[in-house]
Structures are given as C-alpha cells and as structure tokens.
Amino acid sequence: MSAPIRFALSDMDGTLLRPDHQLAGPVIEAVQRLQAAGVRFSLASSRPPRAMLEQARLLGISAPIAGFNGGRLVYPDGRLLEAYPLAPTAARAALTFLARHTVDIWVFADEQWLLKDFSAAHVPTERHALGFDGTLVVDFDPYLDRVDKIVATTDDHALLARLEAELQPRLVDQAHAARSQPYYLDITSIEADKGKALTRLARHLDVPLSQTAALGDSHNDMAMFAVAGLAIAMGQASAEVRAAADVVTVSNAEDGVAFAIERYLLSSDAL
C-alpha cells in the first residue's frame, strides 16, 4: 500500500455483519473511529438499498451506499444517486434459463421482493436479513422492464456454481451472474457490479482508487478487489476469494471488519 487509505467500501452479509446478520458493537466502534480519523466508509451489498439504510445510520455513514451490487447508488437518507436496472431482454433470458432448473427464483423490482412461494428455502433467511417481507406474485412478466435483481436460490451449492458458469456466457454483455452467497446466485445489470460501484463512489468522493480499500467474503466481491488499492478478504471466505485479496482478516463471526480496520486501515505501520 503506497498511499494512505481515504475510502473503504465493505460488503455486508458475511463481512460487516455477524452470521446472525447483526452489527456487532466492536464493528460499529471501529467504523466510527475510522471515520473520525478522516477515512470515508460505505457499504456495497446485493441487498436492496432499503435493507441497508438502518445499518448505514447506526454506523454514521455520510457517503452514498451501493445496493443491488451497485445497481442502485443512494444517499444514506435513501435518495437516489444513480440507477442501473437489468435490461428487459437479459431479465427474460435469465428467468427462462433458471426456470429449467430446480431452484427458487426471486425478483426485486419497484422496491419490492417478489416471489412465488413463501415456503421456499431461504425465505426466512432473506426476510430476516432484509427486515421486510416478500410480495407473492403469480408472474414476473409485468415487472421485466424495471428489474433491479433476479436471485436463484437453492441448497445445492454445486448446482448454483454450475448455473453461474453456464448463465454468464448466455447473458454476454447484458448482465452479470455472480454468487453473493453459496446459496444465492444474483443476476444484475452489466453496469451493476461492486467494482464499478467502488469506482463510481470513489469518483463521487474525489478519492483515487489507489487510496481505496474493499472488504468482502464472496465471489461477487472480487470485482471490487480487482480495482481497490487494498483488498481485504474475510477469514471464512473461500480459497478463491482469499487468493484474490491482498490480505486476509479473521472471520465475520470474530468481527473481522473491526480487526481489519485496526490492523490495516488505522495502524501507521500496517503494511
């Protein structure tokens, strides 16, 4: 690291939050110390922005945040900064492809979580993480012109990894297909990835990318690792994700973001 970090962007689930999706006191305190030291801090998540605002408030974040993997950039009060919805042709192609496989499919549009089955696996997990309930629909077609994200979910992690590899070439330059968790495959606009989100937020804050840090644990965090001045992986991340980072902190269950802030961002002799 040749220049001091001036802006840090963190993933939420699996990174900033503990496994129960809660913010821990040590993490809140570390983020507040970091911001008091003059380093801007923000959030990038596959979550919709409305499911990030309370955490942003608790952390005292003043910078814009990135929801839907960068598909929506909003100010901490929820006002829209930039939006990159999924192209309707890509949305239809993804839904058609996923319908051929044994996965549950969700669509996020109109600030709603749309689903066809409340009994599907991971609905309770998502409800707890988002802080709001889904809306039951019989057809996703009426929403195809304004989709922010499509999610395929299953407990067959190997199937989801295979679907990611098969779906991305079909979407070509229209959309991204990337796992945000072993059991979630997210499809978002080609303009919605965390690397582009970090680049746009850094530009908005007038911070060069060489003075940014990215913290994450999942496959979809590797895009921001590729452009950040310092990439920090969580201790429980897969070998592939850890290999893509510059340094590895402890797990999110051990408040790895707090450890990384103290060790790599606030310490004068960190690296």
Side-chain angles (χ1 to χ4, degrees), residues 9 41-44 47-54 56 61-68 70-84 111 148 197 200-201 204-205:
L9 186 62
F41 186 89
S42 192
L43 309 174
R47 292 183 179 210
R50 66 182 281 199
M52 304 168 66
L53 299 181
E54 176 61 13
I61 290 174
S62 60
I65 62 177
F68 295 126
R72 275 185 179 261
L73 307 183
V74 306
Y75 293 100
D77 62 5
R79 288 179 298 122
L80 181 65
L81 175 60
E82 297 178 26
Y84 303 93
E111 299 190 6
D148 288 300
R200 289 172 176 136
L201 291 175
H204 179 81
L205 298 171

Side-chain angles (χ1 to χ4, degrees), residues 5-205:
I5 296 300
R6 294 173 51 203
F7 173 49
L9 186 62
S10 177
D11 169 55
M12 288 182 62
D13 298 288
T15 301
L16 185 79
L17 306 179
R18 283 183 173 171
D20 63 0
H21 301 288
Q22 299 301 307
L23 266 175
V27 171
I28 295 173
E29 293 166 6
V31 170
Q32 290 175 344
R33 284 197 299 275
L34 184 70
Q35 293 177 116
V39 180
R40 306 296 295 273
F41 186 89
S42 192
L43 309 174
S45 175
S46 63
R47 292 183 179 210
R50 66 182 281 199
M52 304 168 66
L53 299 181
E54 176 61 13
Q55 290 83 0
R57 184 190 68 79
L58 291 171
L59 293 167
I61 290 174
S62 60
I65 62 177
F68 295 126
N69 293 330
R72 275 185 179 261
L73 307 183
V74 306
Y75 293 100
D77 62 5
R79 288 179 298 122
L80 181 65
L81 175 60
E82 297 178 26
Y84 303 93
L86 189 62
T89 53
R92 185 175 295 280
L95 289 171
T96 301
F97 172 82
L98 293 172
R100 303 188 191 116
H101 302 275
T102 308
V103 296
D104 294 302
I105 302 170
W106 304 334
V107 168
F108 288 82
D110 293 347
E111 299 190 6
Q112 299 181 83
W113 166 31
L114 308 172
L115 65 166
K116 296 182 178 181
D117 182 5
F118 276 126
S119 66
H122 296 292
V123 166
T125 301
E126 188 73 356
R127 183 185 291 122
H128 175 65
L130 296 180
F132 61 87
D133 211 345
T135 299
L136 201 65
V137 298
V138 296
D139 190 359
F140 295 130
D141 280 1
Y143 302 90
L144 290 187
D145 63 342
R146 52 194 187 276
V147 172
D148 288 300
K149 182 177 70 166
I150 296 170
V151 178
T153 179
T154 176
D155 281 325
D156 188 340
H157 299 173
L159 170 62
L160 214 58
R162 179 168 63 82
L163 294 183
E164 177 185 19
E166 292 179 8
L167 181 55
Q168 184 59 73
R170 294 169 183 262
L171 299 176
V172 196
D173 296 327
Q174 295 186 80
H176 289 292
R179 284 164 291 155
S180 59
Q181 298 292 338
Y183 45 83
Y184 286 165
L185 174 61
D186 297 340
I187 296 91
T188 53
S189 165
I190 194 67
E191 292 297 323
D193 74 55
K194 291 185 180 181
K196 289 185 173 73
L198 176 56
T199 300
R200 289 172 176 136
L201 291 175
R203 184 185 304 124
H204 179 81
L205 298 171

Side-chain angles (χ1 to χ4, degrees), residues 1-3 5 229-232 246-247 263-265 267-271:
M1 187 170 63
S2 59
I5 296 300
L230 176 64
I232 305 171
D246 298 306
V247 296
R263 175 67 180 85
Y264 301 116
L265 304 183
S267 175
S268 60
D269 57 350
L271 294 173

